[in-house]
Amino acid sequence: MSAGASLEVRGLTFGYPAVAPLFSEWNASFGPGELVAITGASGRGKSTLLYLMALMVRPAAGEIRFRGERVDQLPDSERAHLRAESVGFVFQDATLDASRTVLDNVLESCLYRGVSRGASIQHARDLLSRFGVEQRAEHRPGQISGGQAQRIALCRALMNDPGILFADEPTGNLDRASADTVLAAFRERAAAGSTVIVATHDPSLVTECDRTMAL
Amino acid sequence: MLGRGLMRATLGRGALIPQVLRPTAPRQSAALLREAAAGARSQKVGSLLTIGVIAALCATVLLTAGRTAATESAVLGSIDSSGTRSIVVRAQQGAGLDTSVLARLAHVDGIEWVAAFGPADDVTNAVFAGGAKVPMRAAYSENWAPLGDPSGPVASDLAARTLGFADRVGTAESVANHQSVDIAATLPVPGYLHFLEPLLIVPHSVASSQPSPFVVAPDAAPPTALPAPRPEPEPAAAPVTASVTAPAPATASAIAEPVDVLVVVAATPRQVGSVAAVVSSVLGVTDASTVTVTTSEQLAQLRATVGQQLGGFGQGLVESVFAATAVIVAAILSALVLLRRRDFGRRRALGASRSLIVQLLLTQVGLQAVAGSTLGCVTTSLVLTAQDAPLPPPAFFAALALLAVVTALAAAAVPALIASRRDPLRELRVP
């Protein structure tokens, strides 16, 4: 295990049924404060790799360690708790709940972390303000643009002050200005000691990362 | 393997979250309830369907089995008012039955009410001579609530009309000694006293705190085997045997007054037989042939049969309605879970445990079921009231609402488990 790695993957193997394995004996190590880009052609498994490392799915073989502790074999309830407490995830298409307000979406993870919603509202509004979407707090996702939705998804991912932040094509739907805002947020997050892992095709984002891993 | 606490300590950047944000159980329950309510509101069609099905279940049961229950209650009430629980003792003049029997019966289990009535003294309306005669009786009891807690002589509606009291009140005069009695109120006559109509009584209270004469001394024989204490007219009754604790005299009078009718109401129809046996054993008369004990045991049996037959009616229908409701609710929820699979996938990805997803869905269904059963019960009872139909007892409503909620929760269990197993990778990954 690499000394000081916040996330380490060893011998990771995973594949979909009736298809050749996406990864076989894949190894990687991510340190705290690192901003890492994962690149590769479509279908190479960038998103799947993020889902695996974010403990949403179990690998067929291999190990995933958070700060040296093996976590891929934890019971479902503990993996869920880790996702809620320590992991942030920005989905490719934002994946907001269309039936709830923007503020409700940002506060969603409070329920899973067992944290008081009332005491978290100000934190949520601060995040929305920081990403320039505070005025959309009471709107529904259907009433906002794709770029705003992605920034709101980022707010949601940052609500728990995550130790590891995953982002799946976070700038794919954004204009340059919005993409720069998101990139700045990743930089800030990494500077605060979090590990930020981004799956992306965006060359401008790749060049801003500390390291690039190609699949 | 890491425990949750260790994980939080070693990994959790969330450990930086201020302590004020840490959870408490009631907060978590409130948050779950709020989230479930918000979920129900956001799926209006599904929620309205579920509420409608539960309301229809309650309405169907109330309009079938509920009506039967109400009818049963009314029929049994009618039978009860005819005296299913009453035991009537009639004593011949000089038989020796007197008010001391009330003290002996005061602490016998299974007796709801008891009263004794003295010999009849015919009275007429004092205003005019030669009017219709009505028997007036001294009445003795420790509990006058069933007769409206009279404060003085009272006449039943029939007695007042027979005497010719225009406003149900007036003055009656004894035929024998011409003494006047002012009747100031109307006496409500319960079904088990109808045989005494027309009824005009002069109430006398009897002490209720007397120790039972049948507190048997350690060396005494069982109470039913003992002869009843036979109090002397003057002075107050004294202990008769060493093995029986004697009653203190009645408050109305230290003298045991003669009575010729004793009415005992058993607590339940089933107790009529056993209570009648105890009553017979404590009458305190020397010659058993001078008293007649009439019970309503046959009526009680009829009551039980009627109750059984009416209670069984519609049971199959009710079971079918509940089963159909469970299937419909399960189908609705299964469809909703399918429609919301991305929603559950997102929740799982963001850290919701499987058990939390199950709790969330069950709470949501529970809220819908409570709303549905309330709607169904209130609406149907309004309809029944408007139709002037009898309403089932409150316990029926409570049991129905509870059963409806439990049925909905049971039906929601499988869809909730399916929802909790949505795979974020399958539901959320963009191909």
Side-chain angles (χ1 to χ4, degrees):
Chain A
M1 184 180 80
S2 304
S6 61
L7 171 63
E8 188 172 25
V9 177
R10 290 201 304 205
L12 189 72
T13 301
F14 183 82
Y16 292 103
V19 179
L22 277 173
F23 319 105
S24 187
E25 296 288 324
W26 194 79
N27 298 295
S29 181
F30 305 89
E34 247 193 324
L35 174 55
V36 181
I38 295 177
T39 61
S42 294
R44 294 299 299 271
K46 297 188 296 296
S47 298
T48 302
L49 183 60
L50 292 192
Y51 281 81
L52 279 163
M53 292 192 293
L55 305 180
M56 293 182 203
V57 60
R58 287 184 195 273
E63 294 179 6
I64 298 170
R65 291 175 180 270
F66 280 12
R67 296 202 176 166
E69 300 290 344
R70 187 167 180 184
V71 293
D72 59 284
Q73 291 182 323
L74 288 174
D76 178 78
S77 60
E78 291 193 27
R79 288 190 302 134
H81 183 74
L82 269 179
R83 288 198 298 273
E85 285 278 8
S86 303
V87 173
F89 203 105
V90 181
F91 299 97
Q92 187 172 350
D93 61 349
T95 313
L96 300 177
D97 185 346
S99 65
R100 310 292 292 277
T101 65
V102 163
L103 185 62
D104 286 340
N105 271 279
V106 176
L107 288 166
E108 180 176 350
S109 66
C110 293
L111 176 66
Y112 315 139
R113 285 185 289 136
V115 171
S116 160
R117 176 191 159 96
S120 303
I121 284 181
Q122 192 52 52
H123 183 36
R125 287 196 182 278
D126 288 345
L127 283 169
L128 290 171
S129 176
R130 189 172 139 204
F131 288 99
V133 283
E134 189 194 10
Q135 72 281 12
R136 297 294 194 175
E138 303 306 326
H139 286 73
R140 308 270 166 178
Q143 299 169 309
I144 59 178
S145 70
Q148 288 173 325
Q150 198 67 331
R151 280 182 274 162
I152 289 158
L154 182 58
C155 293
R156 182 179 61 192
L158 295 176
M159 269 300 286
N160 62 343
D161 192 16
I164 306 172
L165 176 63
F166 298 96
D168 189 4
E169 300 282 4
T171 57
N173 298 322
L174 301 185
D175 56 32
R176 192 65 262 153
S178 296
D180 287 344
T181 307
V182 169
L183 180 60
F186 289 160
R187 272 266 162 244
E188 190 179 319
R189 195 69 246 159
S194 296
T195 301
V196 183
I197 303 170
V198 184
T200 183
H201 283 118
D202 184 350
S204 61
L205 181 53
V206 171
T207 55
E208 292 292 331
C209 289
D210 301 325
R211 186 156 59 102
T212 302
M213 299 181 74
L215 288 181
Chain B
M1 183 164 291
L2 285 171
R4 178 172 292 183
L6 181 59
M7 275 296 172
R8 203 176 267 177
T10 56
L11 304 169
R13 297 283 303 188
L16 299 175
I17 293 171
Q19 190 61 38
V20 68
L21 303 186
R22 290 291 170 212
T24 59
R27 267 190 197 163
Q28 182 72 349
S29 302
L32 190 71
L33 200 61
R34 186 173 48 239
E35 185 69 18
R41 277 198 305 272
S42 69
Q43 296 137 32
K44 290 187 174 57
V45 175
S47 295
L48 287 175
L49 271 174
T50 308
I51 290 171
V53 169
I54 301 291
L57 157 79
C58 293
T60 306
V61 171
L62 281 173
L63 290 173
T64 53
R67 268 191 162 165
T68 307
T71 305
E72 177 188 349
S73 183
V75 169
L76 295 183
S78 299
I79 295 175
D80 284 346
S81 70
S82 301
T84 32
R85 295 181 291 140
S86 64
I87 297 145
V88 178
V89 179
R90 291 172 188 273
Q92 293 174 9
Q93 199 167 14
L97 184 64
D98 60 41
T99 52
S100 65
V101 72
L102 296 175
R104 294 194 291 276
L105 289 172
H107 299 282
V108 174
D109 284 343
I111 293 180
E112 182 179 291
W113 187 75
V114 60
F117 298 87
D121 177 13
D122 284 346
V123 295
T124 59
N125 191 329
V127 175
F128 49 88
K133 295 175 185 173
V134 166
M136 181 175 72
R137 297 170 185 273
Y140 308 88
S141 180
E142 65 180 35
N143 173 18
W144 290 102
L147 303 186
D149 287 320
S151 55
V154 285
S156 70
D157 190 58
L158 177 61
R161 278 190 283 115
T162 305
L163 287 170
F165 291 162
D167 298 321
R168 305 285 182 266
V169 294
T171 304
E173 184 180 280
S174 169
V175 174
N177 56 27
H178 300 289
Q179 282 189 337
S180 296
V181 177
D182 289 329
I183 310 298
T186 305
L187 169 70
V189 183
Y192 45 81
L193 293 184
H194 278 165
F195 72 96
L196 288 173
E197 283 276 46
L199 184 59
L200 193 161
I201 61 169
V202 181
H204 297 270
S205 289
V206 176
S208 58
S209 57
Q210 313 298 330
S212 169
F214 289 91
V215 175
V216 181
D219 58 344
T224 50
L226 290 171
R230 185 74 182 93
E232 297 295 326
E234 283 288 346
V240 174
T241 68
S243 60
V244 174
T245 305
T251 54
S253 167
I255 304 167
E257 300 289 347
V259 297
D260 61 1
V261 175
L262 179 70
V263 177
V264 180
V265 178
T268 66
R270 286 184 181 176
Q271 290 174 300
V272 168
S274 56
V275 170
V278 174
V279 169
S280 299
S281 72
V282 300
L283 289 176
V285 296
T286 48
D287 183 0
S289 66
T290 58
V291 294
T292 307
V293 180
T294 309
T295 71
S296 52
E297 230 176 338
Q298 282 186 331
L299 209 52
Q301 283 172 1
L302 172 67
R303 183 191 193 281
T305 305
V306 169
Q308 205 170 13
Q309 288 176 344
L310 287 177
F313 177 77
Q315 190 178 340
L317 177 66
V318 170
E319 286 167 359
S320 304
V321 170
F322 270 95
T325 302
V327 170
I328 294 170
V329 169
I332 292 170
L333 280 174
S334 298
L336 284 178
V337 166
L338 276 177
L339 289 171
R340 295 173 58 198
R341 57 187 188 275
R342 270 180 70 81
D343 178 39
F344 293 117
R346 186 197 71 249
R347 288 179 184 277
R348 294 278 293 135
L350 294 179
S353 64
R354 284 179 181 148
S355 64
L356 184 67
I357 296 279
V358 171
Q359 287 175 49
L360 200 57
L361 255 180
L362 290 184
T363 306
Q364 186 176 319
V365 171
L367 290 173
Q368 292 164 342
V370 168
S373 56
T374 305
L375 178 70
C377 288
V378 170
T379 307
T380 312
S381 55
L382 287 175
V383 169
L384 288 173
T385 305
Q387 292 177 344
D388 213 16
L391 285 175
F396 189 95
F397 282 99
L400 173 61
L402 182 66
L403 207 54
V405 173
V406 170
T407 301
L409 291 177
V414 172
L417 285 172
I418 292 171
S420 74
R421 303 191 84 83
R422 302 316 303 189
D423 178 2
L425 179 63
R426 183 188 297 268
E427 305 301 345
L428 302 180
R429 192 177 68 91
V430 178

